[in-house]
Amino acid sequence: MQGATMGKIGVFDSGVGGLTVLHALHRRLPAEPTVYLGDTARVPYGTKSPDTVIRYSRTNARFLLQHDLRLLVVACNTATAHALEALQAELPVPVIGVVEPGARAAAALTRTRRIGVIGTAGTIASGAYQRALAQAIPGAEVVARACPLLVPLAEEGWTEGEVPRLVVERYLGDLRGSIDTLVLGCTHYPLLKEAIADVLGPQVALVDSAEATAAAVEDALRGRPAAGGGTPTRRYFVTDVPARFPEIAARFLGHVPEAVEQVDV
Ligand code: DGL
Protein backbone atom coordinates (compact mmCIF):
# COMPACT_ATOMS: atom_id res chain seq x y z
CA MET A 1 0.00 0.00 0.00
CA GLN A 2 1.35 3.41 -0.94
CA GLY A 3 1.34 6.37 1.44
CA ALA A 4 -1.03 9.33 1.63
CA THR A 5 -1.20 11.46 -1.50
CA MET A 6 -1.61 15.17 -2.05
CA GLY A 7 -3.96 16.56 -4.63
CA LYS A 8 -7.66 17.05 -5.19
CA ILE A 9 -10.31 15.17 -7.08
CA GLY A 10 -11.45 17.45 -9.88
CA VAL A 11 -15.00 17.08 -11.15
CA PHE A 12 -16.62 18.87 -14.07
CA ASP A 13 -20.04 18.89 -15.65
CA SER A 14 -21.93 21.04 -18.12
CA GLY A 15 -23.73 22.67 -15.19
CA VAL A 16 -25.27 21.65 -11.88
CA GLY A 17 -26.11 18.01 -12.75
CA GLY A 18 -22.61 16.73 -11.93
CA LEU A 19 -23.26 17.72 -8.33
CA THR A 20 -25.10 14.35 -8.07
CA VAL A 21 -21.73 12.68 -8.78
CA LEU A 22 -19.91 15.04 -6.39
CA HIS A 23 -22.51 14.30 -3.70
CA ALA A 24 -21.92 10.56 -4.13
CA LEU A 25 -18.13 11.17 -3.95
CA HIS A 26 -18.46 13.21 -0.76
CA ARG A 27 -20.52 10.43 0.84
CA ARG A 28 -18.11 7.68 -0.20
CA LEU A 29 -14.78 9.54 0.24
CA PRO A 30 -15.44 12.25 2.85
CA ALA A 31 -11.73 12.95 3.50
CA GLU A 32 -10.86 13.74 -0.11
CA PRO A 33 -10.49 17.42 -1.11
CA THR A 34 -12.55 18.20 -4.21
CA VAL A 35 -12.82 20.96 -6.76
CA TYR A 36 -15.93 21.22 -8.94
CA LEU A 37 -16.46 23.15 -12.15
CA GLY A 38 -19.96 23.61 -13.55
CA ASP A 39 -19.91 25.08 -17.05
CA THR A 40 -23.17 26.92 -16.44
CA ALA A 41 -22.43 29.53 -19.13
CA ARG A 42 -22.35 26.92 -21.91
CA VAL A 43 -24.90 24.35 -20.67
CA PRO A 44 -26.58 22.31 -22.15
CA TYR A 45 -24.05 19.96 -23.74
CA GLY A 46 -26.70 17.36 -24.60
CA THR A 47 -27.83 19.17 -27.74
CA LYS A 48 -24.37 20.20 -29.00
CA SER A 49 -22.09 18.55 -31.57
CA PRO A 50 -19.30 16.18 -30.47
CA ASP A 51 -16.60 18.67 -31.58
CA THR A 52 -18.06 21.45 -29.47
CA VAL A 53 -18.42 19.21 -26.41
CA ILE A 54 -14.79 18.05 -26.82
CA ARG A 55 -13.61 21.68 -27.05
CA TYR A 56 -15.59 22.68 -23.94
CA SER A 57 -14.36 19.60 -22.05
CA ARG A 58 -10.73 20.45 -22.83
CA THR A 59 -11.08 23.98 -21.47
CA ASN A 60 -12.82 22.67 -18.33
CA ALA A 61 -10.09 20.10 -17.74
CA ARG A 62 -7.35 22.68 -18.32
CA PHE A 63 -8.93 24.97 -15.74
CA LEU A 64 -9.23 22.23 -13.12
CA LEU A 65 -5.65 21.06 -13.69
CA GLN A 66 -4.48 24.38 -12.26
CA HIS A 67 -5.90 23.21 -8.92
CA ASP A 68 -3.43 20.44 -8.08
CA LEU A 69 -5.44 17.44 -9.24
CA ARG A 70 -4.69 13.81 -8.51
CA LEU A 71 -7.63 12.57 -10.58
CA LEU A 72 -10.30 14.05 -12.85
CA VAL A 73 -13.91 12.91 -12.99
CA VAL A 74 -15.94 13.78 -16.07
CA ALA A 75 -19.27 13.88 -14.26
CA CYS A 76 -21.28 14.72 -17.37
CA ASN A 77 -22.58 11.81 -19.43
CA THR A 78 -22.54 13.80 -22.67
CA ALA A 79 -18.95 15.00 -22.08
CA THR A 80 -17.91 11.45 -21.18
CA ALA A 81 -19.56 10.10 -24.32
CA HIS A 82 -17.77 12.55 -26.63
CA ALA A 83 -14.56 13.61 -24.88
CA LEU A 84 -13.37 10.93 -22.42
CA GLU A 85 -10.95 9.26 -24.83
CA ALA A 86 -9.36 12.58 -25.85
CA LEU A 87 -8.95 13.66 -22.21
CA GLN A 88 -7.51 10.30 -21.15
CA ALA A 89 -4.97 10.51 -23.97
CA GLU A 90 -3.95 14.11 -23.27
CA LEU A 91 -4.04 14.69 -19.52
CA PRO A 92 -1.30 13.94 -16.99
CA VAL A 93 -3.76 12.54 -14.37
CA PRO A 94 -6.16 9.56 -14.44
CA VAL A 95 -9.53 10.50 -15.96
CA ILE A 96 -12.72 8.66 -14.99
CA GLY A 97 -16.01 9.08 -16.83
CA VAL A 98 -19.54 8.04 -15.92
CA VAL A 99 -20.35 5.68 -18.79
CA GLU A 100 -18.23 2.62 -18.02
CA PRO A 101 -19.06 2.53 -14.30
CA GLY A 102 -22.76 2.71 -15.19
CA ALA A 103 -22.42 -0.14 -17.70
CA ARG A 104 -20.54 -2.30 -15.20
CA ALA A 105 -23.20 -1.68 -12.54
CA ALA A 106 -25.88 -2.72 -15.04
CA ALA A 107 -23.92 -5.89 -15.79
CA ALA A 108 -23.97 -6.80 -12.11
CA LEU A 109 -27.75 -6.32 -11.86
CA THR A 110 -29.28 -7.72 -15.03
CA ARG A 111 -30.59 -11.26 -15.14
CA THR A 112 -32.22 -11.25 -18.57
CA ARG A 113 -29.54 -9.11 -20.32
CA ARG A 114 -32.33 -6.89 -21.64
CA ILE A 115 -31.17 -3.42 -20.68
CA GLY A 116 -32.45 0.07 -21.30
CA VAL A 117 -30.31 3.21 -21.25
CA ILE A 118 -31.57 6.78 -21.30
CA GLY A 119 -29.63 10.00 -21.76
CA THR A 120 -29.40 13.26 -23.68
CA ALA A 121 -29.71 13.28 -27.47
CA GLY A 122 -25.90 13.63 -27.76
CA THR A 123 -25.13 10.77 -25.38
CA ILE A 124 -27.52 8.37 -27.08
CA ALA A 125 -26.43 9.38 -30.61
CA SER A 126 -22.75 8.83 -29.67
CA GLY A 127 -23.40 5.12 -29.03
CA ALA A 128 -21.02 5.26 -26.02
CA TYR A 129 -23.39 3.48 -23.61
CA GLN A 130 -24.45 0.98 -26.25
CA ARG A 131 -20.76 0.05 -26.80
CA ALA A 132 -19.94 -0.04 -23.08
CA LEU A 133 -22.99 -2.23 -22.34
CA ALA A 134 -22.17 -4.60 -25.21
CA GLN A 135 -18.67 -4.98 -23.79
CA ALA A 136 -19.77 -5.40 -20.16
CA ILE A 137 -22.66 -7.76 -20.95
CA PRO A 138 -21.95 -10.09 -23.88
CA GLY A 139 -25.16 -10.82 -25.77
CA ALA A 140 -27.01 -7.88 -24.19
CA GLU A 141 -30.07 -6.51 -25.94
CA VAL A 142 -29.91 -2.77 -25.44
CA VAL A 143 -32.69 -0.25 -25.97
CA ALA A 144 -31.28 3.29 -25.97
CA ARG A 145 -33.48 6.34 -25.78
CA ALA A 146 -32.97 10.10 -25.53
CA CYS A 147 -35.22 11.73 -22.90
CA PRO A 148 -34.34 15.43 -23.18
CA LEU A 149 -37.39 16.77 -21.32
CA LEU A 150 -36.27 15.11 -18.09
CA VAL A 151 -33.40 17.61 -17.71
CA PRO A 152 -35.55 20.77 -17.31
CA LEU A 153 -38.03 18.84 -15.13
CA ALA A 154 -35.25 17.94 -12.69
CA GLU A 155 -33.89 21.50 -12.65
CA GLU A 156 -37.37 22.89 -12.08
CA GLY A 157 -37.86 20.49 -9.17
CA TRP A 158 -40.85 18.81 -10.81
CA THR A 159 -39.67 15.38 -9.80
CA GLU A 160 -42.81 14.00 -8.19
CA GLY A 161 -46.45 13.70 -9.15
CA GLU A 162 -48.43 13.71 -12.34
CA VAL A 163 -46.27 15.84 -14.65
CA PRO A 164 -43.00 13.83 -14.48
CA ARG A 165 -44.99 10.58 -14.42
CA LEU A 166 -46.76 11.47 -17.68
CA VAL A 167 -43.50 12.53 -19.36
CA VAL A 168 -41.73 9.35 -18.23
CA GLU A 169 -44.72 7.26 -19.36
CA ARG A 170 -44.50 8.83 -22.82
CA TYR A 171 -40.76 8.16 -23.07
CA LEU A 172 -40.55 4.74 -21.42
CA GLY A 173 -44.03 3.25 -20.98
CA ASP A 174 -43.52 0.77 -23.83
CA LEU A 175 -40.44 -0.67 -22.11
CA ARG A 176 -42.49 -1.92 -19.15
CA GLY A 177 -42.05 -5.69 -18.95
CA SER A 178 -39.39 -5.83 -21.68
CA ILE A 179 -36.22 -4.78 -19.77
CA ASP A 180 -35.00 -5.69 -16.28
CA THR A 181 -32.42 -2.89 -15.86
CA LEU A 182 -32.38 0.77 -16.86
CA VAL A 183 -29.21 2.88 -16.83
CA LEU A 184 -29.90 6.51 -15.90
CA GLY A 185 -27.32 7.89 -18.32
CA CYS A 186 -27.69 11.58 -17.49
CA THR A 187 -26.69 13.53 -14.40
CA HIS A 188 -30.25 14.76 -13.90
CA TYR A 189 -32.16 11.51 -14.05
CA PRO A 190 -31.40 10.19 -10.54
CA LEU A 191 -33.63 13.01 -9.28
CA LEU A 192 -36.52 11.41 -11.20
CA LYS A 193 -35.93 7.88 -9.90
CA GLU A 194 -39.32 7.73 -8.20
CA ALA A 195 -41.29 8.71 -11.29
CA ILE A 196 -39.26 6.28 -13.43
CA ALA A 197 -39.76 3.44 -10.92
CA ASP A 198 -43.50 4.22 -10.82
CA VAL A 199 -43.76 3.82 -14.59
CA LEU A 200 -41.48 0.79 -15.04
CA GLY A 201 -42.41 -1.09 -11.87
CA PRO A 202 -40.29 -2.61 -9.10
CA GLN A 203 -38.93 -5.43 -11.28
CA VAL A 204 -36.75 -2.96 -13.23
CA ALA A 205 -33.46 -2.11 -11.46
CA LEU A 206 -32.40 1.53 -11.91
CA VAL A 207 -28.67 2.18 -12.27
CA ASP A 208 -27.53 5.53 -10.95
CA SER A 209 -24.21 6.31 -12.70
CA ALA A 210 -23.37 8.82 -9.95
CA GLU A 211 -23.08 6.05 -7.34
CA ALA A 212 -21.29 3.71 -9.73
CA THR A 213 -18.79 6.45 -10.66
CA ALA A 214 -18.02 7.28 -7.03
CA ALA A 215 -17.32 3.57 -6.48
CA ALA A 216 -14.98 3.58 -9.51
CA VAL A 217 -13.10 6.59 -8.09
CA GLU A 218 -12.78 4.83 -4.74
CA ASP A 219 -11.32 1.81 -6.53
CA ALA A 220 -8.88 3.99 -8.47
CA LEU A 221 -7.66 5.66 -5.27
CA ARG A 222 -7.57 2.50 -3.15
CA GLY A 223 -4.42 2.42 -1.08
CA ARG A 224 -3.73 6.11 -1.74
CA PRO A 225 -5.77 8.00 0.87
CA ALA A 226 -5.89 11.80 0.97
CA ALA A 227 -3.06 13.45 2.91
CA GLY A 228 -3.64 15.23 6.22
CA GLY A 229 -6.57 15.29 8.60
CA GLY A 230 -9.19 17.94 9.35
CA THR A 231 -11.91 19.13 7.04
CA PRO A 232 -11.00 18.68 3.38
CA THR A 233 -11.32 21.69 1.07
CA ARG A 234 -14.31 21.66 -1.24
CA ARG A 235 -14.24 24.35 -3.90
CA TYR A 236 -16.98 25.17 -6.37
CA PHE A 237 -16.52 27.09 -9.60
CA VAL A 238 -19.11 27.98 -12.22
CA THR A 239 -18.76 29.83 -15.51
CA ASP A 240 -21.97 31.78 -14.89
CA VAL A 241 -24.20 32.25 -11.85
CA PRO A 242 -27.72 31.79 -13.20
CA ALA A 243 -30.81 33.00 -11.37
CA ARG A 244 -31.87 30.53 -8.65
CA PHE A 245 -28.46 28.84 -8.79
CA PRO A 246 -28.21 28.00 -5.05
CA GLU A 247 -31.72 26.52 -4.98
CA ILE A 248 -31.17 24.41 -8.10
CA ALA A 249 -27.68 23.31 -7.03
CA ALA A 250 -29.03 22.22 -3.63
CA ARG A 251 -31.39 19.77 -5.35
CA PHE A 252 -28.41 17.94 -6.82
CA LEU A 253 -25.90 18.27 -3.98
CA GLY A 254 -28.26 17.83 -1.04
CA HIS A 255 -27.29 21.25 0.37
CA VAL A 256 -26.46 24.73 -0.90
CA PRO A 257 -22.81 24.63 -2.06
CA GLU A 258 -20.39 26.60 0.10
CA ALA A 259 -18.88 29.75 -1.51
CA VAL A 260 -19.29 29.44 -5.27
CA GLU A 261 -16.74 31.31 -7.39
CA GLN A 262 -17.46 32.50 -10.92
CA VAL A 263 -14.64 31.99 -13.45
CA ASP A 264 -13.97 32.48 -17.12
CA VAL A 265 -12.38 29.30 -18.48
N1 DGL B 1 -24.89 16.89 -17.70
C1 DGL B 1 -25.56 16.44 -18.91
C2 DGL B 1 -25.41 14.91 -19.02
O1 DGL B 1 -25.21 14.21 -18.05
C3 DGL B 1 -27.03 16.85 -18.92
C4 DGL B 1 -27.25 18.33 -19.14
C5 DGL B 1 -26.74 18.85 -20.46
O2 DGL B 1 -27.35 18.60 -21.52
O3 DGL B 1 -25.70 19.49 -20.45
O4 DGL B 1 -25.49 14.40 -20.11
Side-chain angles (χ1 to χ4, degrees):
M1 170 158 148
Q2 297 170 25
T5 313
M6 304 292 281
K8 303 183 182 70
I9 300 175
V11 179
F12 82 80
D13 175 46
S14 56
V16 289
L19 292 170
T20 52
V21 178
L22 189 70
H23 191 36
L25 275 171
H26 286 167
R27 275 197 308 261
R28 199 173 267 267
L29 299 165
E32 294 290 336
T34 56
V35 51
Y36 181 86
L37 173 65
D39 192 9
T40 40
R42 300 186 292 194
V43 71
Y45 285 11
T47 51
K48 298 204 166 71
S49 71
D51 283 352
T52 298
V53 174
I54 292 171
R55 187 156 46 85
Y56 290 176
S57 299
R58 282 191 171 122
T59 56
N60 296 340
R62 221 174 295 138
F63 171 79
L64 285 171
L65 278 173
Q66 296 162 13
H67 291 266
D68 179 30
L69 293 198
R70 63 193 295 213
L71 184 142
L72 176 68
V73 180
V74 182
C76 175
N77 291 260
T78 311
T80 300
H82 295 314
L84 184 71
E85 266 179 43
L87 297 180
Q88 284 177 331
E90 294 164 9
L91 300 186
V93 295
V95 186
I96 291 184
V98 285
V99 170
E100 263 185 46
R104 278 202 303 272
L109 288 170
T110 186
R111 305 214 175 323
T112 63
R113 285 185 284 179
R114 287 202 291 268
I115 321 271
V117 57
I118 55 177
T120 64
T123 298
I124 298 304
S126 77
Y129 268 108
Q130 295 90 318
R131 284 190 296 278
L133 285 165
Q135 199 165 7
I137 313 162
E141 281 174 49
V142 178
V143 185
R145 208 160 272 183
C147 302
L149 278 184
L150 300 188
V151 168
L153 278 179
E155 294 211 356
E156 193 59 26
W158 289 15
T159 52
E160 284 164 31
E162 192 189 13
V163 175
R165 220 198 64 80
L166 283 173
V167 177
V168 173
E169 175 66 36
R170 181 72 183 264
Y171 279 134
L172 304 177
D174 64 312
L175 298 182
R176 205 169 18 247
S178 69
I179 55 171
D180 76 347
T181 305
L182 179 74
V183 182
L184 307 178
C186 173
T187 48
H188 289 57
Y189 299 171
L191 272 64
L192 288 146
K193 256 184 190 165
E194 243 174 72
I196 295 169
D198 267 3
V199 167
L200 292 179
Q203 62 283 1
V204 177
L206 302 181
V207 176
D208 177 344
S209 328
E211 286 302 332
T213 303
V217 172
E218 186 177 29
D219 273 355
L221 297 182
R222 213 172 280 286
R224 296 190 303 136
T231 313
T233 55
R234 291 178 178 174
R235 294 188 75 179
Y236 299 88
F237 294 96
V238 288
T239 51
D240 186 27
V241 184
R244 299 169 54 221
F245 177 79
E247 173 205 336
I248 295 172
R251 262 183 219 128
F252 291 84
L253 187 62
H255 59 87
V256 175
E258 306 83 26
V260 176
E261 298 162 67
Q262 187 174 346
V263 285
D264 186 0
V265 295

